[in-house]
Amino acid sequence: MDLERISLAIEPDLLRKFDTFLSEGGVANRSEAVRDLIRKHLVEAQEDPKADAAASLTLVYDHDTRELSDRLVEIGHEHHANILSTLHIHLDHDLCLEVMALKGKRRDLRRLAARVLGLKGVLHGGLVMTSLDVLAEVKK
Ligand code: NI
């Protein structure tokens, strides 16, 4: 791999915090960490709604909420082409954790996530999306 050397100007305080973050995460050197941050930024900054993406959608919900389970099933069937797999875990008496593995156009995955996360009874959740074309360009 060809590497170009650059120098960075950074506030001492910020650098100390970065080094602490790296040592806690077991990352060996700053260069690798900065490269990882740049890749992460580029992969997440993709804004083309038609770009191909893979994603995980996580949600925690109260299964006793009226009609929530039925709505989730309906939405799941409407978006069946984008949902590769769903993991369901009964966390306790009331709460369920679901993780959906998704693939498709960014626009469709965002729409699905907004519908699911906006349902009454969904207490927490989030979408982590990877743009596949950008990833192919910046991979190690
Ligand atoms: Ni459950």
PDB file of all heavy atoms in Angstrom, residues 100-135:
ATOM      1  N   MET A 100     -32.308  -5.832  12.753  1.00  0.00           N
ATOM      2  CA  MET A 100     -32.601  -6.220  11.372  1.00  0.00           C
ATOM      3  C   MET A 100     -31.370  -5.965  10.510  1.00  0.00           C
ATOM      4  O   MET A 100     -30.774  -4.887  10.586  1.00  0.00           O
ATOM      5  CB  MET A 100     -33.748  -5.394  10.798  1.00  0.00           C
ATOM      6  CG  MET A 100     -35.067  -5.576  11.497  1.00  0.00           C
ATOM      7  SD  MET A 100     -36.312  -4.558  10.647  1.00  0.00           S
ATOM      8  CE  MET A 100     -37.629  -4.625  11.842  1.00  0.00           C
ATOM      9  N   ALA A 101     -31.013  -6.951   9.700  1.00  0.00           N
ATOM     10  CA  ALA A 101     -29.951  -6.769   8.706  1.00  0.00           C
ATOM     11  C   ALA A 101     -30.621  -6.359   7.404  1.00  0.00           C
ATOM     12  O   ALA A 101     -31.547  -7.034   6.930  1.00  0.00           O
ATOM     13  CB  ALA A 101     -29.169  -8.060   8.520  1.00  0.00           C
ATOM     14  N   LEU A 102     -30.178  -5.238   6.846  1.00  0.00           N
ATOM     15  CA  LEU A 102     -30.846  -4.652   5.678  1.00  0.00           C
ATOM     16  C   LEU A 102     -29.881  -4.484   4.519  1.00  0.00           C
ATOM     17  O   LEU A 102     -28.682  -4.286   4.708  1.00  0.00           O
ATOM     18  CB  LEU A 102     -31.406  -3.260   6.033  1.00  0.00           C
ATOM     19  CG  LEU A 102     -32.252  -3.140   7.297  1.00  0.00           C
ATOM     20  CD1 LEU A 102     -32.603  -1.672   7.554  1.00  0.00           C
ATOM     21  CD2 LEU A 102     -33.505  -3.981   7.193  1.00  0.00           C
ATOM     22  N   LYS A 103     -30.438  -4.520   3.316  1.00  0.00           N
ATOM     23  CA  LYS A 103     -29.655  -4.241   2.117  1.00  0.00           C
ATOM     24  C   LYS A 103     -30.549  -3.593   1.083  1.00  0.00           C
ATOM     25  O   LYS A 103     -31.708  -4.007   0.921  1.00  0.00           O
ATOM     26  CB  LYS A 103     -29.073  -5.555   1.577  1.00  0.00           C
ATOM     27  CG  LYS A 103     -27.949  -5.355   0.590  1.00  0.00           C
ATOM     28  CD  LYS A 103     -27.313  -6.685   0.228  1.00  0.00           C
ATOM     29  CE  LYS A 103     -26.290  -6.460  -0.873  1.00  0.00           C
ATOM     30  NZ  LYS A 103     -25.846  -7.713  -1.465  1.00  0.00           N
ATOM     31  N   GLY A 104     -30.037  -2.576   0.402  1.00  0.00           N
ATOM     32  CA  GLY A 104     -30.839  -1.924  -0.629  1.00  0.00           C
ATOM     33  C   GLY A 104     -30.362  -0.519  -0.890  1.00  0.00           C
ATOM     34  O   GLY A 104     -29.232  -0.167  -0.554  1.00  0.00           O
ATOM     35  N   LYS A 105     -31.224   0.299  -1.504  1.00  0.00           N
ATOM     36  CA  LYS A 105     -30.892   1.694  -1.757  1.00  0.00           C
ATOM     37  C   LYS A 105     -30.988   2.484  -0.448  1.00  0.00           C
ATOM     38  O   LYS A 105     -31.885   2.232   0.362  1.00  0.00           O
ATOM     39  CB  LYS A 105     -31.849   2.296  -2.797  1.00  0.00           C
ATOM     40  CG  LYS A 105     -31.878   1.542  -4.122  1.00  0.00           C
ATOM     41  CD  LYS A 105     -30.548   1.620  -4.845  1.00  0.00           C
ATOM     42  CE  LYS A 105     -30.580   0.851  -6.160  1.00  0.00           C
ATOM     43  NZ  LYS A 105     -29.214   0.638  -6.693  1.00  0.00           N
ATOM     44  N   ARG A 106     -30.068   3.439  -0.297  1.00  0.00           N
ATOM     45  CA  ARG A 106     -30.065   4.238   0.933  1.00  0.00           C
ATOM     46  C   ARG A 106     -31.448   4.810   1.247  1.00  0.00           C
ATOM     47  O   ARG A 106     -31.899   4.778   2.392  1.00  0.00           O
ATOM     48  CB  ARG A 106     -29.078   5.408   0.796  1.00  0.00           C
ATOM     49  CG  ARG A 106     -27.630   5.021   0.878  1.00  0.00           C
ATOM     50  CD  ARG A 106     -26.748   6.233   0.685  1.00  0.00           C
ATOM     51  NE  ARG A 106     -27.022   7.269   1.666  1.00  0.00           N
ATOM     52  CZ  ARG A 106     -26.491   7.303   2.883  1.00  0.00           C
ATOM     53  NH1 ARG A 106     -25.638   6.375   3.261  1.00  0.00           N
ATOM     54  NH2 ARG A 106     -26.811   8.262   3.718  1.00  0.00           N
ATOM     55  N   ARG A 107     -32.109   5.331   0.203  1.00  0.00           N
ATOM     56  CA  ARG A 107     -33.425   5.953   0.366  1.00  0.00           C
ATOM     57  C   ARG A 107     -34.422   4.961   0.970  1.00  0.00           C
ATOM     58  O   ARG A 107     -35.159   5.294   1.894  1.00  0.00           O
ATOM     59  CB  ARG A 107     -33.897   6.403  -1.024  1.00  0.00           C
ATOM     60  CG  ARG A 107     -35.287   6.957  -1.123  1.00  0.00           C
ATOM     61  CD  ARG A 107     -35.677   7.105  -2.589  1.00  0.00           C
ATOM     62  NE  ARG A 107     -35.425   5.864  -3.318  1.00  0.00           N
ATOM     63  CZ  ARG A 107     -35.165   5.786  -4.625  1.00  0.00           C
ATOM     64  NH1 ARG A 107     -35.124   6.865  -5.354  1.00  0.00           N
ATOM     65  NH2 ARG A 107     -34.962   4.628  -5.210  1.00  0.00           N
ATOM     66  N   ASP A 108     -34.424   3.728   0.473  1.00  0.00           N
ATOM     67  CA  ASP A 108     -35.389   2.739   0.953  1.00  0.00           C
ATOM     68  C   ASP A 108     -35.085   2.316   2.388  1.00  0.00           C
ATOM     69  O   ASP A 108     -36.001   2.095   3.191  1.00  0.00           O
ATOM     70  CB  ASP A 108     -35.389   1.515   0.029  1.00  0.00           C
ATOM     71  CG  ASP A 108     -35.821   1.875  -1.387  1.00  0.00           C
ATOM     72  OD1 ASP A 108     -36.594   2.842  -1.530  1.00  0.00           O
ATOM     73  OD2 ASP A 108     -35.371   1.211  -2.336  1.00  0.00           O
ATOM     74  N   LEU A 109     -33.797   2.194   2.717  1.00  0.00           N
ATOM     75  CA  LEU A 109     -33.434   1.783   4.078  1.00  0.00           C
ATOM     76  C   LEU A 109     -33.769   2.888   5.075  1.00  0.00           C
ATOM     77  O   LEU A 109     -34.234   2.620   6.190  1.00  0.00           O
ATOM     78  CB  LEU A 109     -31.946   1.422   4.152  1.00  0.00           C
ATOM     79  CG  LEU A 109     -31.487   0.310   3.177  1.00  0.00           C
ATOM     80  CD1 LEU A 109     -30.072  -0.132   3.515  1.00  0.00           C
ATOM     81  CD2 LEU A 109     -32.445  -0.871   3.180  1.00  0.00           C
ATOM     82  N   ARG A 110     -33.537   4.150   4.674  1.00  0.00           N
ATOM     83  CA  ARG A 110     -33.896   5.284   5.549  1.00  0.00           C
ATOM     84  C   ARG A 110     -35.401   5.325   5.796  1.00  0.00           C
ATOM     85  O   ARG A 110     -35.864   5.578   6.907  1.00  0.00           O
ATOM     86  CB  ARG A 110     -33.461   6.609   4.926  1.00  0.00           C
ATOM     87  CG  ARG A 110     -31.988   6.853   5.008  1.00  0.00           C
ATOM     88  CD  ARG A 110     -31.675   8.323   5.298  1.00  0.00           C
ATOM     89  NE  ARG A 110     -30.259   8.487   5.512  1.00  0.00           N
ATOM     90  CZ  ARG A 110     -29.630   8.185   6.631  1.00  0.00           C
ATOM     91  NH1 ARG A 110     -30.307   7.754   7.667  1.00  0.00           N
ATOM     92  NH2 ARG A 110     -28.334   8.331   6.742  1.00  0.00           N
ATOM     93  N   ARG A 111     -36.164   5.092   4.737  1.00  0.00           N
ATOM     94  CA  ARG A 111     -37.629   5.127   4.840  1.00  0.00           C
ATOM     95  C   ARG A 111     -38.113   4.020   5.791  1.00  0.00           C
ATOM     96  O   ARG A 111     -38.947   4.258   6.658  1.00  0.00           O
ATOM     97  CB  ARG A 111     -38.240   4.949   3.443  1.00  0.00           C
ATOM     98  CG  ARG A 111     -39.725   5.238   3.382  1.00  0.00           C
ATOM     99  CD  ARG A 111     -40.233   5.168   1.948  1.00  0.00           C
ATOM    100  NE  ARG A 111     -39.608   6.155   1.086  1.00  0.00           N
ATOM    101  CZ  ARG A 111     -39.399   6.008  -0.222  1.00  0.00           C
ATOM    102  NH1 ARG A 111     -39.761   4.886  -0.808  1.00  0.00           N
ATOM    103  NH2 ARG A 111     -38.839   6.955  -0.931  1.00  0.00           N
ATOM    104  N   LEU A 112     -37.570   2.827   5.620  1.00  0.00           N
ATOM    105  CA  LEU A 112     -37.938   1.712   6.491  1.00  0.00           C
ATOM    106  C   LEU A 112     -37.594   2.033   7.947  1.00  0.00           C
ATOM    107  O   LEU A 112     -38.411   1.830   8.853  1.00  0.00           O
ATOM    108  CB  LEU A 112     -37.184   0.452   6.026  1.00  0.00           C
ATOM    109  CG  LEU A 112     -37.184  -0.759   6.958  1.00  0.00           C
ATOM    110  CD1 LEU A 112     -38.596  -1.226   7.274  1.00  0.00           C
ATOM    111  CD2 LEU A 112     -36.394  -1.907   6.321  1.00  0.00           C
ATOM    112  N   ALA A 113     -36.390   2.556   8.175  1.00  0.00           N
ATOM    113  CA  ALA A 113     -35.963   2.870   9.548  1.00  0.00           C
ATOM    114  C   ALA A 113     -36.871   3.932  10.161  1.00  0.00           C
ATOM    115  O   ALA A 113     -37.268   3.822  11.329  1.00  0.00           O
ATOM    116  CB  ALA A 113     -34.510   3.344   9.545  1.00  0.00           C
ATOM    117  N   ALA A 114     -37.223   4.943   9.384  1.00  0.00           N
ATOM    118  CA  ALA A 114     -38.066   6.020   9.915  1.00  0.00           C
ATOM    119  C   ALA A 114     -39.442   5.473  10.301  1.00  0.00           C
ATOM    120  O   ALA A 114     -40.006   5.837  11.338  1.00  0.00           O
ATOM    121  CB  ALA A 114     -38.203   7.131   8.882  1.00  0.00           C
ATOM    122  N   ARG A 115     -39.973   4.575   9.476  1.00  0.00           N
ATOM    123  CA  ARG A 115     -41.292   3.999   9.781  1.00  0.00           C
ATOM    124  C   ARG A 115     -41.237   3.174  11.071  1.00  0.00           C
ATOM    125  O   ARG A 115     -42.103   3.292  11.932  1.00  0.00           O
ATOM    126  CB  ARG A 115     -41.755   3.093   8.634  1.00  0.00           C
ATOM    127  CG  ARG A 115     -42.142   3.854   7.389  1.00  0.00           C
ATOM    128  CD  ARG A 115     -42.750   2.915   6.352  1.00  0.00           C
ATOM    129  NE  ARG A 115     -44.085   2.455   6.758  1.00  0.00           N
ATOM    130  CZ  ARG A 115     -44.756   1.508   6.127  1.00  0.00           C
ATOM    131  NH1 ARG A 115     -44.217   0.903   5.082  1.00  0.00           N
ATOM    132  NH2 ARG A 115     -45.953   1.157   6.530  1.00  0.00           N
ATOM    133  N   VAL A 116     -40.199   2.322  11.171  1.00  0.00           N
ATOM    134  CA  VAL A 116     -40.098   1.430  12.329  1.00  0.00           C
ATOM    135  C   VAL A 116     -39.822   2.230  13.610  1.00  0.00           C
ATOM    136  O   VAL A 116     -40.495   2.047  14.632  1.00  0.00           O
ATOM    137  CB  VAL A 116     -38.991   0.375  12.094  1.00  0.00           C
ATOM    138  CG1 VAL A 116     -38.660  -0.354  13.382  1.00  0.00           C
ATOM    139  CG2 VAL A 116     -39.431  -0.613  11.016  1.00  0.00           C
ATOM    140  N   LEU A 117     -38.847   3.132  13.547  1.00  0.00           N
ATOM    141  CA  LEU A 117     -38.447   3.860  14.755  1.00  0.00           C
ATOM    142  C   LEU A 117     -39.527   4.851  15.194  1.00  0.00           C
ATOM    143  O   LEU A 117     -39.563   5.260  16.354  1.00  0.00           O
ATOM    144  CB  LEU A 117     -37.115   4.587  14.520  1.00  0.00           C
ATOM    145  CG  LEU A 117     -35.916   3.654  14.268  1.00  0.00           C
ATOM    146  CD1 LEU A 117     -34.668   4.459  13.926  1.00  0.00           C
ATOM    147  CD2 LEU A 117     -35.656   2.749  15.467  1.00  0.00           C
ATOM    148  N   GLY A 118     -40.411   5.234  14.255  1.00  0.00           N
ATOM    149  CA  GLY A 118     -41.470   6.178  14.591  1.00  0.00           C
ATOM    150  C   GLY A 118     -42.700   5.525  15.200  1.00  0.00           C
ATOM    151  O   GLY A 118     -43.625   6.218  15.615  1.00  0.00           O
ATOM    152  N   LEU A 119     -42.725   4.197  15.284  1.00  0.00           N
ATOM    153  CA  LEU A 119     -43.910   3.511  15.820  1.00  0.00           C
ATOM    154  C   LEU A 119     -44.046   3.771  17.313  1.00  0.00           C
ATOM    155  O   LEU A 119     -43.050   3.777  18.052  1.00  0.00           O
ATOM    156  CB  LEU A 119     -43.802   2.001  15.578  1.00  0.00           C
ATOM    157  CG  LEU A 119     -43.950   1.519  14.136  1.00  0.00           C
ATOM    158  CD1 LEU A 119     -43.642   0.022  14.059  1.00  0.00           C
ATOM    159  CD2 LEU A 119     -45.355   1.799  13.615  1.00  0.00           C
ATOM    160  N   LYS A 120     -45.287   3.937  17.749  1.00  0.00           N
ATOM    161  CA  LYS A 120     -45.558   4.109  19.178  1.00  0.00           C
ATOM    162  C   LYS A 120     -45.157   2.821  19.908  1.00  0.00           C
ATOM    163  O   LYS A 120     -45.520   1.730  19.467  1.00  0.00           O
ATOM    164  CB  LYS A 120     -47.058   4.366  19.353  1.00  0.00           C
ATOM    165  CG  LYS A 120     -47.483   4.758  20.735  1.00  0.00           C
ATOM    166  CD  LYS A 120     -48.963   5.135  20.695  1.00  0.00           C
ATOM    167  CE  LYS A 120     -49.532   5.596  22.009  1.00  0.00           C
ATOM    168  NZ  LYS A 120     -49.177   4.895  23.189  1.00  0.00           N
ATOM    169  N   GLY A 121     -44.397   2.970  20.974  1.00  0.00           N
ATOM    170  CA  GLY A 121     -43.951   1.809  21.735  1.00  0.00           C
ATOM    171  C   GLY A 121     -42.504   1.457  21.473  1.00  0.00           C
ATOM    172  O   GLY A 121     -41.902   0.699  22.228  1.00  0.00           O
ATOM    173  N   VAL A 122     -41.914   2.003  20.393  1.00  0.00           N
ATOM    174  CA  VAL A 122     -40.477   1.812  20.151  1.00  0.00           C
ATOM    175  C   VAL A 122     -39.737   2.819  21.028  1.00  0.00           C
ATOM    176  O   VAL A 122     -39.896   4.034  20.879  1.00  0.00           O
ATOM    177  CB  VAL A 122     -40.110   2.006  18.656  1.00  0.00           C
ATOM    178  CG1 VAL A 122     -38.603   1.948  18.468  1.00  0.00           C
ATOM    179  CG2 VAL A 122     -40.785   0.932  17.812  1.00  0.00           C
ATOM    180  N   LEU A 123     -38.963   2.296  21.973  1.00  0.00           N
ATOM    181  CA  LEU A 123     -38.388   3.148  23.023  1.00  0.00           C
ATOM    182  C   LEU A 123     -37.010   3.681  22.658  1.00  0.00           C
ATOM    183  O   LEU A 123     -36.603   4.741  23.112  1.00  0.00           O
ATOM    184  CB  LEU A 123     -38.300   2.349  24.337  1.00  0.00           C
ATOM    185  CG  LEU A 123     -39.634   1.738  24.777  1.00  0.00           C
ATOM    186  CD1 LEU A 123     -39.431   0.811  25.959  1.00  0.00           C
ATOM    187  CD2 LEU A 123     -40.622   2.848  25.122  1.00  0.00           C
ATOM    188  N   HIS A 124     -36.290   2.905  21.860  1.00  0.00           N
ATOM    189  CA  HIS A 124     -34.935   3.326  21.485  1.00  0.00           C
ATOM    190  C   HIS A 124     -34.523   2.564  20.231  1.00  0.00           C
ATOM    191  O   HIS A 124     -35.023   1.472  19.981  1.00  0.00           O
ATOM    192  CB  HIS A 124     -33.944   3.040  22.624  1.00  0.00           C
ATOM    193  CG  HIS A 124     -32.568   3.544  22.343  1.00  0.00           C
ATOM    194  ND1 HIS A 124     -31.464   2.724  22.291  1.00  0.00           N
ATOM    195  CD2 HIS A 124     -32.129   4.794  22.084  1.00  0.00           C
ATOM    196  CE1 HIS A 124     -30.403   3.458  22.004  1.00  0.00           C
ATOM    197  NE2 HIS A 124     -30.771   4.719  21.884  1.00  0.00           N
ATOM    198  N   GLY A 125     -33.624   3.145  19.477  1.00  0.00           N
ATOM    199  CA  GLY A 125     -33.139   2.419  18.317  1.00  0.00           C
ATOM    200  C   GLY A 125     -32.278   3.296  17.444  1.00  0.00           C
ATOM    201  O   GLY A 125     -32.048   4.473  17.744  1.00  0.00           O
ATOM    202  N   GLY A 126     -31.787   2.715  16.352  1.00  0.00           N
ATOM    203  CA  GLY A 126     -30.962   3.496  15.450  1.00  0.00           C
ATOM    204  C   GLY A 126     -30.575   2.688  14.229  1.00  0.00           C
ATOM    205  O   GLY A 126     -30.665   1.453  14.216  1.00  0.00           O
ATOM    206  N   LEU A 127     -30.161   3.413  13.211  1.00  0.00           N
ATOM    207  CA  LEU A 127     -29.758   2.803  11.940  1.00  0.00           C
ATOM    208  C   LEU A 127     -28.269   3.049  11.732  1.00  0.00           C
ATOM    209  O   LEU A 127     -27.813   4.180  11.855  1.00  0.00           O
ATOM    210  CB  LEU A 127     -30.559   3.461  10.801  1.00  0.00           C
ATOM    211  CG  LEU A 127     -30.269   2.995   9.377  1.00  0.00           C
ATOM    212  CD1 LEU A 127     -30.802   1.584   9.149  1.00  0.00           C
ATOM    213  CD2 LEU A 127     -30.916   3.960   8.377  1.00  0.00           C
ATOM    214  N   VAL A 128     -27.524   1.999  11.455  1.00  0.00           N
ATOM    215  CA  VAL A 128     -26.109   2.142  11.083  1.00  0.00           C
ATOM    216  C   VAL A 128     -25.987   1.674   9.644  1.00  0.00           C
ATOM    217  O   VAL A 128     -26.264   0.513   9.339  1.00  0.00           O
ATOM    218  CB  VAL A 128     -25.187   1.301  11.997  1.00  0.00           C
ATOM    219  CG1 VAL A 128     -23.742   1.375  11.511  1.00  0.00           C
ATOM    220  CG2 VAL A 128     -25.296   1.771  13.441  1.00  0.00           C
ATOM    221  N   MET A 129     -25.633   2.614   8.760  1.00  0.00           N
ATOM    222  CA  MET A 129     -25.658   2.308   7.330  1.00  0.00           C
ATOM    223  C   MET A 129     -24.276   2.451   6.711  1.00  0.00           C
ATOM    224  O   MET A 129     -23.562   3.404   6.985  1.00  0.00           O
ATOM    225  CB  MET A 129     -26.661   3.234   6.629  1.00  0.00           C
ATOM    226  CG  MET A 129     -26.840   2.910   5.178  1.00  0.00           C
ATOM    227  SD  MET A 129     -28.494   3.265   4.555  1.00  0.00           S
ATOM    228  CE  MET A 129     -28.704   4.965   4.973  1.00  0.00           C
ATOM    229  N   THR A 130     -23.932   1.500   5.876  1.00  0.00           N
ATOM    230  CA  THR A 130     -22.667   1.518   5.145  1.00  0.00           C
ATOM    231  C   THR A 130     -22.957   1.657   3.659  1.00  0.00           C
ATOM    232  O   THR A 130     -23.725   0.861   3.112  1.00  0.00           O
ATOM    233  CB  THR A 130     -21.912   0.192   5.371  1.00  0.00           C
ATOM    234  OG1 THR A 130     -21.638   0.046   6.753  1.00  0.00           O
ATOM    235  CG2 THR A 130     -20.617   0.160   4.589  1.00  0.00           C
ATOM    236  N   SER A 131     -22.379   2.651   3.025  1.00  0.00           N
ATOM    237  CA  SER A 131     -22.522   2.781   1.584  1.00  0.00           C
ATOM    238  C   SER A 131     -21.499   1.879   0.908  1.00  0.00           C
ATOM    239  O   SER A 131     -20.298   2.043   1.095  1.00  0.00           O
ATOM    240  CB  SER A 131     -22.305   4.231   1.159  1.00  0.00           C
ATOM    241  OG  SER A 131     -23.376   4.995   1.615  1.00  0.00           O
ATOM    242  N   LEU A 132     -21.987   0.936   0.128  1.00  0.00           N
ATOM    243  CA  LEU A 132     -21.095  -0.110  -0.382  1.00  0.00           C
ATOM    244  C   LEU A 132     -20.127   0.405  -1.442  1.00  0.00           C
ATOM    245  O   LEU A 132     -18.985  -0.041  -1.507  1.00  0.00           O
ATOM    246  CB  LEU A 132     -21.931  -1.270  -0.924  1.00  0.00           C
ATOM    247  CG  LEU A 132     -22.820  -1.932   0.146  1.00  0.00           C
ATOM    248  CD1 LEU A 132     -23.722  -2.971  -0.476  1.00  0.00           C
ATOM    249  CD2 LEU A 132     -21.981  -2.540   1.252  1.00  0.00           C
ATOM    250  N   ASP A 133     -20.570   1.368  -2.279  1.00  0.00           N
ATOM    251  CA  ASP A 133     -19.663   1.857  -3.321  1.00  0.00           C
ATOM    252  C   ASP A 133     -18.516   2.661  -2.721  1.00  0.00           C
ATOM    253  O   ASP A 133     -17.365   2.512  -3.115  1.00  0.00           O
ATOM    254  CB  ASP A 133     -20.425   2.688  -4.357  1.00  0.00           C
ATOM    255  CG  ASP A 133     -21.217   3.816  -3.757  1.00  0.00           C
ATOM    256  OD1 ASP A 133     -21.465   3.782  -2.531  1.00  0.00           O
ATOM    257  OD2 ASP A 133     -21.591   4.738  -4.483  1.00  0.00           O
ATOM    258  N   VAL A 134     -18.842   3.487  -1.701  1.00  0.00           N
ATOM    259  CA  VAL A 134     -17.783   4.257  -1.044  1.00  0.00           C
ATOM    260  C   VAL A 134     -16.828   3.325  -0.313  1.00  0.00           C
ATOM    261  O   VAL A 134     -15.610   3.485  -0.367  1.00  0.00           O
ATOM    262  CB  VAL A 134     -18.371   5.302  -0.060  1.00  0.00           C
ATOM    263  CG1 VAL A 134     -17.265   6.033   0.668  1.00  0.00           C
ATOM    264  CG2 VAL A 134     -19.275   6.272  -0.791  1.00  0.00           C
ATOM    265  N   LEU A 135     -17.383   2.324   0.325  1.00  0.00           N
ATOM    266  CA  LEU A 135     -16.555   1.360   1.052  1.00  0.00           C
ATOM    267  C   LEU A 135     -15.564   0.686   0.117  1.00  0.00           C
ATOM    268  O   LEU A 135     -14.386   0.504   0.449  1.00  0.00           O
ATOM    269  CB  LEU A 135     -17.449   0.313   1.716  1.00  0.00           C
ATOM    270  CG  LEU A 135     -16.760  -0.629   2.684  1.00  0.00           C
ATOM    271  CD1 LEU A 135     -16.289   0.120   3.926  1.00  0.00           C
ATOM    272  CD2 LEU A 135     -17.688  -1.755   3.080  1.00  0.00           C
TER     273      LEU A 135
END
